[in-house]
Amino acid sequence: MSEAEQGPALAPEAAVLDALNATESNGTEALNATAKFVATPEGTALAYGSLVFMALLPIFFGALRSVSCSKSKNSADMPETITSRDAARFPIIASCTLFGLYLFFKVFSQEYINLLLSVYFFVLGILALSHTMSPLMCRVFPSSLPNKQYQLLFTQGSGDSKEEIVNYEFDTKNLVCLLISSVVGVWYLLKKHWIANNLFGLAFALNGVELLHLNNVSTGCILLGGLFVYDVFWVFGTNVMVTVAKSFEAPIKLVFPQDLLEKGLEASNFAMLGLGDIVIPGIFIALLLRFDVSLKKNSRTYFYSSFLAYIFGLGLTIFVMHTFKHAQPALLYLVPACVGFPVIVALFKGELTEMFRYEESSEEAEPKEDSSESDKKDQ
């Protein structure tokens, strides 16, 4: 929840996520700094408590869904694996993207840039929210209604040289999800309401935690360590992040009004938490859950320890921010907590080596080795 934050490792916009949590020194919204607003203790507690709760939802459910996602054979649900090389390069790419946006906002009109971004995130948000709702729709969709199958197919060429460009299969349930998501998208596009923003933001975060997989713990440490330095540098070393945060309008942060008790749903002074401070630690926590599953001990020790560590780190960020009245990079506190707690647990359990040797593909490789050995024995 740092007042400057980190983007998820999804797309170029992801690099900016760090910047989107900047607030005024008195805790008010940085994006609406036209007038200073002093929040009441009750309003502040409600806002930050709600942000913490919303941050935990995509991490918890995204991690659970990442377990089934890793076993899925459906190409649409296949995760994107982050290697150590990807992890090492990501802070550099994120920095270039962040600084590029900074220059864009300095050179070009903020209005036109945000218009393009609104349309871009309108499409992405609909797809992300539709994917998020899909499992729930499968459970609540009435069995009495027909669930017809559809296929969207685009090809290039003809005859033997025909090549598939798009081959997407979907059903009636997917169409219902898409329709509901489109309504939310139009609401966001027209009104930029904070609830619509949060629905898209939660969908982005959950999809990020579910579909972005670290291939091992070492890669996770490289990614978190690099973004730790990135976050601290761009928050404390320059004004780039804050400048982008004040200019950038997109649902890549969670917001909650501190004046909700006074103004209701029309409140406009927000506390913010960027998606990067959710997705980046979240994909590491999801990896530890899959490691727990691989141990086959019917225990979720590393998942729960890292999950509690995240709560502790986020709470510490809020405490320091309000104590010193200054924006804080959340990863400064989240990274040591989310990495340190599980490592300490592994040391006590004597599983540190096993944890760092864990590979996402190890379970798939073992059967292949067994089959080759059996072939040798048969020969």
Side-chain angles (χ1 to χ4, degrees):
M1 150 161 319
S2 87
E3 307 306 357
E5 86 181 279
Q6 188 116 20
L10 292 172
E13 69 272 11
V16 197
L17 296 180
D18 291 282
L20 296 177
N21 204 28
T23 60
E24 296 296 313
S25 60
N26 63 0
T28 62
E29 179 192 19
L31 299 182
N32 189 20
T34 54
K36 288 188 176 181
F37 167 79
V38 179
T40 63
E42 295 82 3
T44 300
L46 177 62
Y48 284 111
S50 300
L51 286 178
V52 172
F53 176 73
M54 286 191 293
L56 297 178
L57 290 178
I59 292 178
F60 186 84
F61 291 104
L64 293 177
R65 288 174 60 161
S66 76
V67 176
S68 57
C69 174
S70 62
K71 302 174 183 178
S72 174
K73 296 182 179 180
N74 185 352
S75 59
D77 296 328
M78 291 294 288
E80 181 72 24
T81 302
I82 300 173
T83 65
S84 57
R85 178 178 293 184
D86 298 328
R89 290 187 300 189
F90 184 73
I92 300 174
I93 297 172
S95 296
C96 293
T97 305
L98 179 63
F99 190 66
L101 281 170
Y102 173 79
L103 295 178
F104 262 89
F105 282 117
K106 287 291 185 180
V107 175
F108 299 102
S109 170
Q110 176 180 330
E111 179 183 355
Y112 293 116
I113 295 175
N114 281 321
L115 178 61
L116 291 174
L117 291 173
S118 295
V119 175
Y120 177 63
F121 280 101
F122 166 75
V123 177
L124 285 185
I126 289 175
L127 296 176
L129 187 58
S130 179
H131 182 267
T132 301
M133 294 172 53
S134 183
L136 176 63
M137 184 59 62
C138 291
R139 296 181 181 181
V140 302
F141 191 81
S143 57
S144 58
L145 295 178
N147 185 33
K148 297 182 179 180
Q149 302 294 319
Y150 303 92
Q151 183 179 24
L152 183 63
L153 179 64
F154 287 99
T155 61
Q156 180 179 348
S158 60
D160 296 336
S161 62
K162 182 181 293 187
E163 180 183 357
E164 288 187 0
I165 305 299
V166 175
N167 187 358
Y168 183 69
E169 296 181 359
F170 55 98
D171 55 24
T172 306
K173 298 176 184 177
N174 299 132
L175 288 177
V176 174
C177 292
L178 195 63
L179 178 62
I180 297 173
S181 302
S182 298
V183 173
V184 176
V186 172
W187 182 24
Y188 170 78
L189 195 63
L190 297 179
K191 299 294 185 181
K192 294 293 192 299
H193 198 277
W194 60 274
I195 294 180
N197 173 92
N198 286 348
L199 289 174
F200 274 174
L202 288 170
F204 285 139
L206 192 146
N207 278 276
V209 175
E210 176 188 358
L211 299 175
L212 286 173
H213 286 199
L214 297 164
N215 63 351
N216 55 49
V217 174
S218 297
T219 298
C221 292
I222 293 171
L223 179 66
L224 286 160
L227 291 176
F228 173 90
V229 176
Y230 161 84
D231 210 15
V232 172
F233 172 76
W234 288 111
V235 172
F236 290 143
T238 72
N239 69 336
V240 171
M241 223 175 240
V242 175
T243 301
V244 173
K246 290 178 178 180
S247 308
F248 200 88
E249 294 181 7
I252 53 176
K253 77 273 189 185
L254 300 180
V255 299
F256 199 91
Q258 298 184 76
D259 53 347
L260 179 69
L261 299 177
E262 292 83 6
K263 298 182 179 179
L265 296 179
E266 299 304 318
S268 58
N269 293 280
F270 298 100
M272 291 175 284
L273 175 64
L275 298 191
D277 293 335
I278 301 173
V279 175
I280 298 302
I283 60 177
F284 186 75
I285 295 171
L287 171 67
L288 294 178
L289 174 59
R290 297 192 297 275
F291 172 62
D292 278 323
V293 172
S294 73
L295 294 176
K296 299 178 181 179
K297 293 183 179 179
N298 198 25
S299 170
R300 301 294 181 265
T301 305
Y302 296 103
F303 171 66
Y304 288 125
S305 64
S306 58
F307 192 74
L308 292 174
Y310 181 83
I311 298 174
F312 170 78
L314 199 56
L316 184 60
T317 304
I318 298 172
F319 173 77
V320 173
M321 182 182 66
H322 282 279
T323 299
F324 294 97
K325 305 298 181 183
H326 190 279
Q328 298 295 315
L331 293 183
L332 176 64
Y333 308 96
L334 291 173
V335 170
C338 292
V339 175
F341 278 41
V343 167
I344 293 173
V345 171
L347 281 171
F348 274 106
K349 297 185 69 174
E351 296 176 342
L352 185 62
T353 303
E354 188 175 359
M355 183 173 75
F356 275 89
R357 285 181 177 176
Y358 169 71
E359 291 278 347
E360 286 277 86
S361 59
S362 60
E363 295 180 0
E364 298 176 2
E366 288 176 3
K368 295 179 181 179
E369 294 175 5
D370 294 339
S371 61
S372 61
E373 290 177 2
S374 64
D375 291 342
K376 291 180 180 179
K377 291 179 180 179
D378 292 340
Q379 292 176 356

